Amino acid sequence: MNLSNKEPNKESSIKLTNKTVKNVAENSAANGSKIITPQYDRENTEIGIVHLGPGAFHRAHQAVYTENAMNLVGGNWGICGVSLRSATARDVLAKQDNLYTLAILDKEINYQIIGSIKEVLVASEQPAQVMARLTAPTTKLVTLTITEKGYCLGADGRLDLQHGDIVHDLSNRSQPISAIGYITQALGQRKINGIAAFNVLSCDNVSGNGDKLRQAVIDYATQLDAGLATWIEVNVAFPNAMVDSITPKTEDYTVDSVSNAIGARDEWPIQREQFTQWVIEDNWNGERPAWDKVGVVFTSDVEGFEKAKLRLLNCLHSTLAYAGSLAGFETVFDVTSDDAFYQFICQLANEEVIGSFVPPKELDVESYSKEIIERFLNPEIRHLLAQIAWDGSQKVQMRILPIIEDNLALGRSTKLLSLSLACWFEFICRALKDNREIIDPLAAEFASMPALLSNDSSEVVAAFLSIESVFGQDLKNNSALKTQLADSLSALRIGEARQINNIVEKLC
Ligand code: CS2
């Protein structure tokens, strides 16, 4: 069954709420489809986690692990979701007592009602309530999915003190707008009030996410008070983590199909694939949810897992997003089903990605890579290339450039990686030429660069590589790489993007 092909049936008249969730469980038991609902005493569960950025990925991943852990052993690990700006999640979820459905779309379709999120706040409207949650002694953990750009980092991976949000926060200390500002301000309050620090766990696709976040918070704290920076260094754990589960955004058809399936109206269900993985560095102060009992792996070395995931899944995803969009495909499934694109990503993975890093010893990287590509071929998942294409300037820094840099250092080929990067360049250039919206924090910068409209590939490449916040200082001086990128861009411009095999053949 493909949800996208299902006719939306008429609306269910009852809403998913605390009152009706029992009926969902009973009805499902009666008709033989087992829908899991919260098994713990939700009403009396306290909030122990503040999560910054309660978007689809958080609700499909960390909130589900936390739910499963509480279903198993209880614990006061309710989640307060904090949206930094948008009020939509709060307003929609409040009408259904913050309950929502997780739809797992794979060979089998399964539904689970998730209750771990107990409250959603909007920082821009409720800053005092957010601060109260962050400074409460009951809050033991702050988790984040704020996407790459939310960390306000420069190309050197350190906090960018010139970033507009950071400049704002440093001069409006009691009213921060960035996650870094909120976390540091709250830790400062806890220090003053003699309340133990919370742990801070990044769940974003950022390499060395815990280390980078820790450094960013310490850099920020140093601007406020050197004593606070030292206190944070000593008292706060920022474990590194790798997160994985393909989670396309909720569409109208998802709302209709899931509501029909559970027999109650859910205005904001979440859909994801069956596969899910969370590997967390075992660097923790105090208690944590019983995540280890529900599949989370704690290890002393996350780096290899992180690299494998970012370099295989995310690099291939971004490559497909740009190359596939140029060729007129709409979803990951569509483009991966095309033989030429399938071959292209297999070749990219085998020849240039695998071998660029040291995988963890427990990971068979060849099989891991094959399984990822199989996951892209899940017909139940309609993952839009346009969704993955967002924020390319932030994503390529994590997913493509480090592989290029490592391959250059190791004397390995970068031809296919250059083609992947050139697809991003061309994606941006075409959007500028066609006057289409670019969703990227650097959109205004791109629009102010006339060279991006040039027909001369070398000029376009030089203009992109001059953006230091993305490419740093070294790549623009590498003439071999520049030539490779310009050749790839020209090949893309002359060739027929659908025939990616011809382009690859020409370049290799
Ligand atoms: C995707 C990721 O949107 C994107 O950029 O590559 O969100 C991807 O689906 C997840 O990292 C999978 O775990």
Side-chain angles (χ1 to χ4, degrees), residues 205 243-246 309 313-314 317 383 388 395 399:
N205 289 317
V243 292
D244 192 7
S245 193
I246 291 175
K309 195 277 175 148
L313 192 146
N314 294 114
H317 245 182
H383 200 182
I388 301 167
K395 291 178 177 175
R399 330 179 150 186

Side-chain angles (χ1 to χ4, degrees), residues 57 61 148 203-205 242-248 273 275-277 309-310 313-318 321-322 332 375-376 383-391 395 399:
F57 188 72
H61 189 271
E148 297 86 343
C203 306
D204 279 297
N205 289 317
M242 181 273 250
V243 292
D244 192 7
S245 193
I246 291 175
T247 307
E273 62 177 338
F275 182 94
T276 179
Q277 195 176 22
K309 195 277 175 148
L310 279 165
L313 192 146
N314 294 114
C315 167
L316 300 184
H317 245 182
S318 288
Y322 301 120
V332 175
R375 286 164 60 195
F376 293 172
H383 200 182
L384 296 179
L385 298 175
Q387 183 189 340
I388 301 167
W390 286 1
D391 291 352
K395 291 178 177 175
R399 330 179 150 186

Side-chain angles (χ1 to χ4, degrees), residues 84-310:
L84 289 170
R85 296 188 177 86
S86 162
T88 321
R90 177 194 62 191
D91 297 346
V92 175
L93 290 176
K95 293 191 189 124
Q96 44 195 61
D97 298 323
N98 294 309
L99 292 165
Y100 63 91
T101 315
L102 169 72
I104 295 185
L105 309 181
D106 230 291
K107 291 192 184 86
E108 268 185 32
I109 313 270
N110 284 303
Y111 302 93
Q112 179 175 358
I113 312 294
I114 308 296
S116 53
I117 297 183
K118 293 210 60 187
E119 170 184 71
V120 181
L121 300 173
V122 179
S124 54
E125 295 174 13
Q126 302 162 284
Q129 277 163 270
V130 172
M131 238 352 144
R133 275 288 173 219
L134 285 168
T135 52
T138 39
T139 298
K140 305 270 184 340
L141 171 63
V142 173
T143 52
L144 303 89
T145 46
I146 52 173
T147 75
E148 297 86 343
K149 61 180 177 281
Y151 291 79
C152 309
L153 305 177
D156 60 357
R158 295 285 292 263
L159 184 67
D160 176 6
L161 290 170
Q162 310 307 321
H163 191 290
D165 292 0
I166 299 302
V167 172
H168 170 279
D169 288 1
L170 285 170
S171 46
N172 297 274
R173 296 180 183 181
S174 55
Q175 294 267 311
I177 53 175
S178 73
I180 305 294
Y182 266 106
I183 291 171
T184 319
Q185 208 62 43
L187 286 168
Q189 273 306 316
R190 292 177 84 105
K191 174 175 180 271
I192 291 169
N193 300 344
I195 298 170
F198 42 63
N199 293 297
V200 186
L201 178 59
S202 166
C203 306
D204 279 297
N205 289 317
V206 170
S207 51
N209 50 15
D211 295 340
K212 289 206 174 103
L213 178 57
R214 176 175 187 272
Q215 191 59 56
V217 169
I218 290 172
D219 287 347
Y220 186 98
T222 305
Q223 301 295 312
L224 302 180
D225 159 15
L228 174 60
T230 311
W231 187 83
I232 293 173
E233 278 184 20
V234 174
N235 293 289
V236 186
F238 291 85
N240 287 301
M242 181 273 250
V243 292
D244 192 7
S245 193
I246 291 175
T247 307
K249 72 181 173 59
T250 302
E251 306 281 354
D252 289 347
Y253 64 77
T254 329
V255 172
D256 291 325
S257 312
V258 171
S259 299
N260 286 335
I262 67 164
R265 187 76 184 163
D266 179 348
E267 292 297 343
W268 209 341
I270 298 296
Q271 51 176 335
R272 65 148 228 236
E273 62 177 338
Q274 173 81 48
F275 182 94
T276 179
Q277 195 176 22
W278 197 1
V279 183
I280 304 178
E281 187 184 9
D282 205 352
N283 157 25
W284 206 272
N285 292 329
E287 338 153 48
R288 62 186 176 212
W291 288 332
D292 52 324
K293 298 199 165 51
V294 291
V296 179
V297 173
F298 285 89
T299 164
S300 58
D301 178 18
V302 175
E303 199 189 335
F305 286 99
E306 249 184 16
K307 280 195 175 162
K309 195 277 175 148
L310 279 165

